[in-house]
Every structure is written in C-alpha cells, then in structure tokens.
Amino acid sequence: MTHTLSLSDLRKNYALGSLSEHDVASDPFAQFKRWFRQALDAQLAEPNAMTLATVSADGRPDARIVLIKGADEQGFTFFTNYESRKGQELAANPFGCLLFHWIELERQVRIEGRVEKVSAAESDAYYHSRPIGSRLGAWASEQSAEVADRSIIEAREEAFRKQFGDAPPRPPHWGGYRLVPDAVEFWQGRPSRLHDRIKYFRLADGQWRVARLSP
C-alpha cells in the first residue's frame, strides 16, 4: 500500500525539559550562556548557527543562517560582507532578530534588538584569526551580487591570492555587527503544545523584566 505524505500529520511530543521564571538567571546573557554551554555539552551539530532576520527599506523580510562569533553583555556578534543583502538591509533598517533552534534539546532562543557595526579593531582581530582561505574568500566574493558562473569567483580568489599572498588585509567592506538586545525569549518544548516561554524585556534603566508568555 502506498502512503501519501500528509504534512498536517507530522508532529512530535516535546518532553525533554521544563523552564520556570523562578529558575532562570536574572539577565538574558547569563541564561543564554547557561543554555549555550548545555548545547555544547550535548555535542549538537553547529550550536552556534542562528537565523538572522532583517527587513528592507520597503518592508520586505529576509532571513538566512549565520554563525555567532561573540556573546556577552554588549550583545551578540556576527561577521559578514557589509555590501551583501543583509548589510544593505541593516543600513536601511538597523534592527534584526536572531533565532537559535536546538532541536535535539527541544529549545529555541529568540533575540530582538538594534544592530550596529563593531569597531574596526574588533573586525580586524577576528578577520586575522580566520583561515587564509576564508580571508581571501572575503575579497573574492561580492556577496549577494549576480555572477555568470563559479569560475569568475575562483579567478578572483586566485588573483587576490597572488596580490596578497598569505597576508591579506581585511577588506573595507567586510566586518562585524553586534545585535544589542531589548528582548530575549527562551522557549522550551513541553507536552500537549503547552510550551514554556520565558521572555526578558529591557527596561529604560537597563535592567531586565522577566515574564512568562502563553504558549
């Protein structure tokens, strides 16, 4: 007998953990570090991968996966080409949302806030910590621009390799962004879709208010 896939029949019961507003850390940075450490300890595949959502000047949303490269009380940091689509959208509308989905732990973290460029010194330090191939790739790729075929990108990489050797400088169009959060939500899957949702809201004085949201 042939079975037809029905998307509406796909479901999972979440039962691995719980999350209480009485047990979370007093600020979202400490809570994120706690959960991120648990994701590392669980040896998840790329726990540092996150969805970055942005909005263009005309209100069209866009999303893609990027890798987090820093998380502290200042915010959440990632690096990219400033002239890419995401860079252009952040220049026009400097707000974004990050989403971590650690499916094996039945957890999500949603982070909302203003996005700003990091300092040139911080971008330089991270750029020069990257493998040589990645550093040359930042020069070779005109990220998000149309290209006729891959050979053009490979030729650009070879040209920059000849020009810079093993010591390419950081491209002026490449660097870091930091999302400075004003709201952070921690989501823990629970049975019967009665999930735990704990959200931190930044107050005017910089302190955080913690609230439980209905699932």
Side-chain angles (χ1 to χ4, degrees):
M1 179 182 296
T2 301
H3 295 280
T4 302
L5 174 65
S6 174
L7 296 180
S8 63
D9 290 336
L10 295 176
R11 56 177 51 86
K12 176 184 178 181
N13 191 43
Y14 300 102
L16 290 182
S18 62
L19 186 64
S20 168
E21 61 271 34
H22 304 296
D23 298 329
V24 295
S26 60
D27 70 78
F29 305 110
Q31 183 63 32
F32 178 82
K33 290 177 181 178
R34 181 184 299 173
W35 269 23
F36 193 79
R37 170 50 59 186
Q38 291 171 359
L40 290 175
D41 291 344
Q43 300 183 331
L44 305 188
E46 291 197 294
N48 54 329
M50 59 188 182
T51 300
L52 165 65
T54 53
V55 178
S56 67
D58 59 358
R60 293 180 66 89
D62 189 26
R64 75 291 289 163
I65 302 295
V66 298
L67 300 179
I68 191 172
K69 294 299 179 179
D72 55 29
E73 285 68 20
Q74 296 182 71
F76 300 83
T77 304
F78 59 94
F79 293 82
T80 191
N81 187 315
Y82 290 143
E83 297 174 354
S84 64
R85 178 173 174 176
K86 69 177 86 63
Q88 295 176 37
E89 291 174 346
L90 289 171
N93 188 351
F95 293 89
C97 182
L98 304 175
L99 171 63
F100 291 86
H101 185 200
W102 296 318
I103 188 170
E104 297 89 344
L105 301 178
E106 300 176 353
R107 288 175 173 175
Q108 298 181 54
V109 183
R110 299 165 62 188
I111 307 166
E112 309 165 47
R114 185 176 183 86
V115 181
E116 60 189 25
K117 288 182 179 179
V118 305
S119 68
E122 189 171 345
S123 289
D124 285 341
Y126 176 68
Y127 177 80
H128 291 294
S129 75
R130 306 177 85 206
I132 181 62
S134 298
R135 281 180 277 156
L136 290 169
W139 282 98
S141 173
E142 297 179 311
Q143 194 174 97
S144 301
E146 291 189 15
V147 62
D149 59 61
R150 183 177 176 85
S151 65
I152 296 174
I153 301 172
E154 293 172 345
R156 284 175 54 85
E157 180 188 31
E158 182 59 26
F160 283 118
R161 186 181 298 275
K162 291 179 179 178
Q163 178 180 349
F164 296 129
D166 291 335
R170 177 175 64 87
H173 56 267
W174 190 97
Y177 287 103
R178 178 176 290 109
L179 188 147
V180 181
D182 51 44
V184 183
E185 179 185 329
F186 295 84
W187 182 100
Q188 177 71 60
R190 296 295 304 275
S192 304
R193 297 297 185 265
L194 297 178
H195 310 304
D196 287 329
R197 298 177 60 188
I198 305 299
K199 191 165 186 176
Y200 294 77
F201 298 88
R202 190 191 293 271
L203 303 177
D205 63 0
Q207 300 300 306
W208 294 91
R209 180 174 68 86
V210 181
R212 172 177 286 274
L213 304 183
S214 176

